Amino acid sequence: MTKLSGILASVAVAAVSLALSAAPSYAGDIVGLVTKTNTNPFFVKMKQGFEAKAKELGLTPQAYAGKADGDNDGQVKAIEQLMAAGAKGILLVPSDSTAIVPTVEKARKAGILVITLDTPLDPPTAADALFATDNFKAGELIGEWAKATLGDKAKTAKIATLDLAPNEPSVDYLRHNGFLTGFGIPVKDPKHYSTSDSPQIVGSDVTAGSTEGGRKAMENILQKADHIDLVYAINEPAAYGGYAALKAAGKDKGVTIVAVDGGCQGVKWVKEGIIGATSQQYPLLMAADGVEAVAEYIKSGKKPQSKDTGEKLVTDHPVPGVPSISVDEGLKLCWG
């Protein structure tokens, strides 16, 4: 090798070494997202935030989802696949807050960081951290707004609740019981909900968080209840389904509907007057913050602290004492 060739070779090696040292140590590492479904717009937006942030940070995103809300077996398989693939971190929206815990513990024992998004585990400490809306507070806001909006009629209002699933995941009972608390109805069991919490509740049914589920649930409730003043819904698709059933039965006039989610379509329903108020949450932010936390963990071994990713009441009919933002503001922020 000539002297010039040797110098060029040394320069090339040095350049490669410099490039490798400048690159993040976690480049290409796998980060996983496991949601309840891949069709609910909430989780579609969450996946967008997850994939964008992972690519920005040089991580390899792998996303999975259950077949339907409540599909714990599907989520177990997804976590096992991510473990087998060598994932460094998993972001999880549990369908069953309790049943998934043993699988989460297995992943954590294998050195995988597990952060729950949106829905806490039971117990919440079974995950390394929770990045989510304060679901109880979100429910409390719409309960307070509904009580103030109904005024004197609140004491005798007939209420229907459109809940999520028979197994009552934490997001389900937290929103439901937050709503009751905000409305001024005592909660008997903070980890469950029950129609016996108040004689004002004339019917409750589960919806799977879907429009069709909300419609069927309301149809079932209307078979027993001839009058409804107020509807609480786990989310806006269920709320719209409930509204559609009320309208079809000619019983939608004068009914106040409240929900949680704050998706762009949901906020448009608030603008149209179908939903009176909704508590907005921010799934894209949950996922992006989660990916950043996984990247930091890979780089430094530092585990994150749980955080409230925010909740804002969206309505064009604000009431004193209940903080809110307008529909126009809600449309600018929806799920960002």
Side-chain angles (χ1 to χ4, degrees):
M1 180 182 288
T2 65
K3 184 175 181 180
L4 178 59
S5 297
I7 292 172
L8 291 174
S10 298
V11 170
V13 169
V16 171
S17 298
L18 179 61
L20 288 173
S21 63
S25 60
Y26 49 80
D29 282 330
I30 293 171
V31 58
L33 173 69
V34 182
T35 57
K36 296 178 182 179
T37 73
N38 58 15
T39 54
N40 186 310
F42 183 87
F43 300 124
V44 171
K45 180 61 70 172
M46 183 177 282
K47 183 180 176 183
Q48 290 173 0
F50 163 74
E51 292 180 337
K53 182 58 69 171
K55 290 173 183 177
E56 176 189 324
L57 296 178
L59 298 174
T60 301
Q62 290 189 9
Y64 297 84
K67 294 179 181 178
D69 208 314
D71 178 17
N72 183 68
D73 290 343
Q75 292 197 320
V76 167
K77 290 177 183 177
I79 293 174
E80 289 174 345
Q81 285 180 273
L82 286 165
M83 291 175 66
K88 301 296 186 181
I90 296 173
L91 310 180
L92 169 67
V93 187
S95 272
D96 190 312
S97 306
T98 304
I100 198 71
V101 167
T103 305
V104 170
E105 289 176 345
K106 188 187 301 182
R108 292 179 69 193
K109 286 178 181 177
I112 300 172
L113 183 75
V114 180
I115 300 172
T116 44
L117 307 180
D118 178 58
T119 304
L121 294 175
D122 190 1
T125 53
D128 289 293
L130 168 68
F131 289 5
T133 305
D134 183 332
N135 283 293
F136 187 90
K137 184 178 178 182
E140 195 171 27
L141 283 170
I142 54 175
E144 290 173 347
W145 180 88
K147 182 179 181 180
T149 298
L150 290 175
D152 291 339
K153 295 180 181 178
K155 295 178 181 178
T156 57
K158 302 301 182 183
I159 305 168
T161 74
L162 303 179
D163 298 294
L164 183 58
N167 64 336
E168 297 182 42
S170 56
V171 67
D172 203 1
Y173 65 71
L174 285 169
R175 292 183 186 182
H176 180 113
N177 290 338
F179 162 76
L180 292 184
T181 300
F183 196 75
I185 296 175
V187 172
K188 292 183 179 180
D189 186 340
K191 286 194 173 183
H192 296 282
Y193 54 76
S194 170
T195 55
S196 65
D197 277 324
S198 170
Q200 286 188 256
I201 300 176
V202 295
S204 297
D205 207 342
V206 295
T207 65
S210 70
T211 296
E212 181 61 17
R215 183 184 65 79
K216 289 181 178 178
M218 184 58 74
E219 287 175 349
N220 292 339
I221 292 170
L222 287 173
Q223 290 178 12
K224 301 176 182 177
D226 59 357
H227 178 76
I228 294 171
D229 299 299
L230 174 62
V231 176
Y232 154 81
I234 181 72
N235 65 8
E236 290 140 11
Y240 187 83
Y243 162 78
L246 285 166
K247 187 177 177 70
K251 297 183 177 182
D252 58 307
K253 301 301 181 184
V255 179
T256 299
I257 301 176
V258 293
V260 177
D261 258 2
C264 296
Q265 180 58 64
V267 176
K268 288 177 183 177
W269 287 329
V270 177
K271 190 177 186 69
E272 293 169 15
I274 293 170
I275 297 173
T278 190
S279 283
Q280 188 170 66
Q281 48 182 349
Y282 304 101
L284 191 149
L285 178 64
M286 292 178 201
D289 285 355
V291 173
E292 287 184 343
V294 171
E296 179 61 35
Y297 173 72
I298 294 170
K299 184 168 67 173
S300 68
K302 181 182 177 182
K303 292 187 176 182
Q305 298 292 316
S306 296
K307 64 186 295 185
D308 177 356
T309 51
E311 53 285 320
K312 295 181 183 295
L313 184 76
V314 179
T315 184
D316 273 342
H317 303 283
V319 296
V322 184
S324 64
I325 62 174
S326 69
V327 166
D328 288 341
E329 290 176 282
L331 286 171
K332 291 176 183 177
L333 294 172
C334 53
W335 282 357

